[in-house]
Amino acid sequence: MEIPILSQSTVFNLYENVENNINQYSDGFDETFFNDNYNHSLKNTDMPTNLEEMLIYDENLKEGNLDAKNSFIVYNALKGLTPYQARDGRVWTALSHKFFLKYTAQRHGGKNNKLTKEKIEQHFFTFVDGKRGFDRHNVCARLWLNGHAVNKCSNGENFEELLNILCEKADFRANIIERPGIFQIPNVLLAVLLTVKSEKHKGVEFKRELYRPWLKYIDRAGGQKIYAMMEKDELIELYNDYLTTIKAQI
Amino acid sequence: MQYNPNKSYGYPVQRQSLSEFDKENADYKDTSFDPSFNESKSFDNKDEMQIEIQMFGLIQEIKDAIGKAQANISVIVQCRDTFFSQKQTIEHKDATTNLYQDIMYINANNLYGEVTIRAVVLATKDFILKSEKINAEFGYKEFKVTKDMLLAESPTYISYVHKEPENSPQSIVSLHTTPKFKDGEYDISLENDYIQINISEKLNAKMAPLKNTKEGRELSFNVIFVPAITYALTQLEAHPEYLEYKWAQSLTNALNDLKKTIDVRDEPHNQAQALFRNTILNVLQGEI
């Protein structure tokens, strides 16, 4: 099937009626809802009709690992979706309401898997917190964006492994995806992920106290370097030097 | 010279200097590196953004270094929303030419909203750069350049990429019926990508048939869309932070394009009329 898109007025209606529809978010929307509202789709796209079943719901996985696995699935499933289309909230609202009810409850519903009005507004739409509505909150958009960012830079490296490094710690991911700045430069993101990978292989635990000042250092040094013009290997060497400096300070 | 520890390189870098004060205090005195980026977007046949680049204002010594292949000019295009970054080095086969120009083609499907464009000149090998224009505060008139050093950087030019047809500003407006209003009451929300006009059910019932005829559409432009866009442009003027939203970027694009062909007055109500091709005349003069 082609990737669905809702009309803007349907999105507004849904957003305004979250409280009235709150049971549907746990029990599911009926056929009439889909027949009435899912009448448009994005041309030249393709996606599996059973995306909901393809998602992983393993409760034993940590949230970050669950995100990584589902980012892989969602990014590969939404074929032909362009980055331009991916900034259209109507697409994500359509996908979230059709395929992500169960997943949202599990991933964002807390211990009871319960979706409150606020949670629904955050995770089924893209309105909350400006750009973070896409980058952080929408249950589906955030997964796709992880895949998109890593795919753009992976350049022959193991896509799934890099995705896992990006997603493993929510705060690490947030520092990169939600405040892209220099990290939108493919070689920069790749160099960061490969440096973390190499540290992990050495047995170094990449804690918040380490990666926060390190990422900040990289960002600040970016004001005096033209990262966009630098090669991957140069950046890896540079970021390793920065990491050594940070390690010596903490 | 003003020193910014996060932006200064500790050696002369040529930048844009707009005012006399800036020129006096520039790393290279009385100069301004001021490239021109003319972008156009074509979404009809191929989704493509074209950026025509012309390099103005580089000092002769840096131009000479480029001519001798000691340095390169590159253009960097980035888009935050789509995690996009692309660089292109400008060809400079003719070392005697004073004006470097090139065209950059980008698939517009990879861009959305704010796109930044800037030019940089980087050294490709070690050499000595000598210039009488180097600000006396450096205390030297020549310095050793090493590979990869930044020699010049332009200001960042901002463009907006949206595919909404620029000749139909109503496409950025969404009408929404709400029971909280009666009769002709409505309000306008600007806190989303689309301008949302909340109208009463009665008003919606009157508006709905208008879209079926040309006369009806012109009438609807005048009674609801032009006032809404006027309001939006007024708010945008007062709160530039709205430029984060698609409606503000689309209207800015449409007005900039319009201004290339006709004079548009600065008042929001006149801008709104211009965006709708003076729809007020179409209704009042019976041209439809």
Side-chain angles (χ1 to χ4, degrees):
Chain A
M1 66 178 278
E2 287 183 331
I3 297 172
I5 181 169
L6 294 173
S7 71
Q8 193 63 35
S9 58
T10 302
V11 173
F12 284 139
N13 267 326
L14 281 167
Y15 191 71
E16 228 177 51
N17 288 294
V18 166
E19 209 148 20
N20 299 335
N21 293 334
I22 205 138
N23 290 335
Q24 274 93 311
Y25 284 93
S26 51
D27 304 342
F29 289 83
D30 60 23
E31 272 309 299
T32 319
F33 167 75
F34 293 113
N35 291 338
D36 289 350
N37 296 299
Y38 283 66
N39 306 316
H40 299 285
S41 56
L42 300 175
K43 284 182 188 148
N44 303 320
T45 62
D46 189 29
M47 66 169 290
T49 51
N50 65 338
L51 179 59
E52 186 173 22
E53 295 155 32
M54 290 167 65
L55 297 172
I56 290 169
Y57 301 88
D58 187 346
E59 291 183 353
N60 296 319
L61 283 174
K62 286 184 183 162
E63 285 183 345
N65 302 115
L66 190 68
D67 279 353
K69 286 189 181 301
N70 283 309
S71 295
F72 184 79
I73 292 169
V74 168
Y75 185 72
N76 286 315
L78 301 181
K79 292 186 173 57
L81 181 70
T82 67
Y84 181 91
Q85 291 166 331
R87 293 310 293 196
D88 191 330
R90 298 173 300 172
V91 173
W92 299 117
T93 307
L95 288 167
S96 310
H97 281 77
K98 195 167 170 72
F99 299 102
F100 285 82
L101 294 184
K102 182 179 164 194
Y103 181 75
T104 313
Q106 189 194 319
R107 173 64 180 83
H108 302 287
K111 283 180 186 164
N112 305 326
N113 290 359
K114 182 123 181 103
L115 290 171
T116 59
K117 177 175 178 277
E118 288 70 30
K119 295 262 182 203
I120 292 167
E121 285 172 349
Q122 273 188 338
H123 300 299
F124 285 87
F125 299 88
T126 53
F127 296 147
V128 179
D129 282 352
K131 290 183 192 301
R132 286 189 177 177
F134 291 89
D135 305 341
R136 178 184 199 136
H137 297 309
N138 181 277
V139 61
C140 187
R142 61 193 296 281
L143 297 176
W144 185 87
L145 190 58
N146 295 337
H148 174 61
V150 172
N151 182 58
K152 276 176 68 66
C153 77
S154 56
N155 195 21
E157 299 287 338
N158 186 323
F159 179 47
E160 260 189 289
E161 189 181 15
L162 293 185
L163 252 179
N164 202 48
I165 292 168
L166 175 70
C167 297
E168 203 169 13
K169 290 190 166 66
D171 180 62
F172 178 75
R173 175 206 178 266
N175 271 278
I176 288 174
I177 297 287
E178 294 168 31
R179 291 180 280 278
I182 53 166
F183 300 111
Q184 70 200 32
I185 302 164
N187 276 348
V188 170
L189 180 56
L190 183 58
V192 165
L193 296 177
L194 289 178
T195 307
V196 178
K197 176 181 160 182
S198 150
E199 289 294 305
K200 288 178 73 161
H201 284 184
K202 284 185 226 163
V204 176
E205 197 183 342
F206 227 68
K207 287 181 181 167
R208 188 185 172 104
E209 303 85 75
L210 182 60
Y211 68 72
R212 275 226 161 175
W214 180 57
L215 292 177
K216 214 179 208 173
Y217 199 108
I218 290 173
D219 190 30
R220 208 172 49 226
Q224 294 179 313
K225 297 206 175 293
I226 309 295
Y227 287 152
M229 301 301 296
M230 293 173 74
E231 298 301 326
K232 176 191 79 175
D233 291 338
E234 280 178 276
L235 289 166
I236 290 177
E237 198 182 323
L238 192 66
Y239 296 167
N240 265 310
D241 287 347
Y242 294 166
L243 191 58
T244 308
T245 307
I246 297 295
K247 279 180 183 169
Q249 287 172 358
I250 57 174
Chain B
M1 286 182 298
Q2 285 185 325
Y3 180 73
N4 175 347
N6 293 331
K7 289 281 178 192
S8 295
Y9 291 82
Y11 62 87
V13 174
Q14 199 191 0
R15 298 191 177 89
Q16 184 192 46
S17 309
L18 291 177
S19 66
E20 285 308 310
F21 177 83
D22 287 345
K23 283 186 181 157
E24 182 65 23
N25 287 282
D27 289 4
Y28 292 91
K29 277 186 78 170
D30 298 323
T31 72
S32 179
F33 177 41
D34 206 3
S36 142
F37 304 108
N38 289 312
E39 41 81 24
S40 59
K41 301 151 202 123
S42 162
F43 299 123
D44 298 337
N45 300 319
K46 40 187 179 176
D47 288 334
E48 187 174 81
M49 183 179 185
Q50 277 184 32
I51 305 169
E52 279 180 41
I53 304 145
Q54 290 183 306
M55 292 296 158
F56 296 117
L58 270 181
I59 60 163
Q60 191 59 46
E61 292 81 357
I62 295 181
K63 281 182 196 167
D64 290 344
I66 294 167
K68 291 178 201 161
Q70 294 169 326
N72 265 335
I73 303 182
S74 298
V75 173
I76 302 165
V77 178
Q78 294 183 311
C79 176
R80 183 256 180 233
D81 283 352
T82 59
F83 244 83
F84 178 86
S85 178
Q86 187 174 313
K87 61 185 180 198
Q88 179 169 314
T89 299
I90 293 179
E91 293 282 328
H92 48 83
K93 288 173 189 148
D94 182 1
T96 60
T97 308
N98 281 338
L99 193 66
Y100 302 95
Q101 53 187 27
D102 208 343
I103 297 184
M104 196 167 177
Y105 298 95
I106 298 172
N107 183 344
N109 287 311
N110 290 322
L111 307 171
Y112 178 94
E114 185 178 294
V115 174
T116 61
I117 308 164
R118 67 181 179 136
V120 292
V121 178
L122 289 178
T124 53
K125 53 181 73 162
D126 298 356
F127 68 101
I128 301 291
L129 180 56
K130 187 175 178 181
S131 172
E132 286 305 312
K133 292 183 187 296
I134 293 175
N135 196 305
E137 289 188 33
F138 281 103
Y140 51 76
K141 290 295 172 190
E142 64 177 51
F143 64 102
K144 187 175 181 222
V145 172
T146 54
K147 185 176 175 290
D148 295 332
M149 269 172 79
L150 178 75
L151 303 180
E153 67 179 349
S154 76
T156 300
Y157 172 89
I158 293 175
S159 174
Y160 300 106
V161 172
H162 290 290
K163 295 186 183 178
E164 269 67 24
E166 292 185 354
N167 55 0
S168 58
Q170 69 276 19
S171 60
I172 206 70
V173 178
S174 174
L175 288 178
H176 178 62
T177 311
T178 172
K180 75 177 180 184
F181 290 134
K182 64 180 190 310
D183 301 326
E185 292 174 347
Y186 66 93
D187 73 1
I188 301 165
S189 165
L190 302 175
E191 305 298 328
N192 287 303
D193 275 341
Y194 290 81
I195 297 170
Q196 185 183 338
I197 311 180
N198 300 304
I199 58 176
S200 69
E201 281 170 18
K202 192 172 178 181
L203 185 53
N204 186 49
K206 296 275 185 194
M207 293 283 297
L210 294 182
K211 61 184 170 207
N212 298 327
T213 65
K214 191 169 181 219
E215 292 85 348
R217 284 194 292 275
E218 292 284 350
L219 188 60
S220 70
F221 292 163
N222 278 281
V223 298
I224 199 98
F225 289 101
V226 168
I229 299 255
T230 301
Y231 174 74
L233 290 171
T234 307
Q235 291 298 310
L236 177 59
E237 211 171 82
H239 307 283
E241 60 271 22
Y242 277 128
L243 261 179
E244 179 187 334
Y245 294 119
K246 177 177 181 149
W247 65 261
Q249 297 175 355
S250 293
L251 293 179
T252 303
N253 268 355
L255 278 168
N256 286 342
D257 274 10
L258 211 54
K259 285 173 184 170
K260 287 176 189 165
T261 51
I262 58 165
D263 284 336
V264 180
R265 292 183 61 94
D266 286 338
E267 302 88 352
H269 54 276
N270 282 317
Q271 291 179 332
Q273 274 296 333
L275 287 169
F276 283 93
R277 307 292 188 269
N278 291 303
T279 177
I280 192 168
L281 292 181
N282 295 343
V283 166
L284 295 177
Q285 294 178 353
E287 287 184 6
I288 51 172

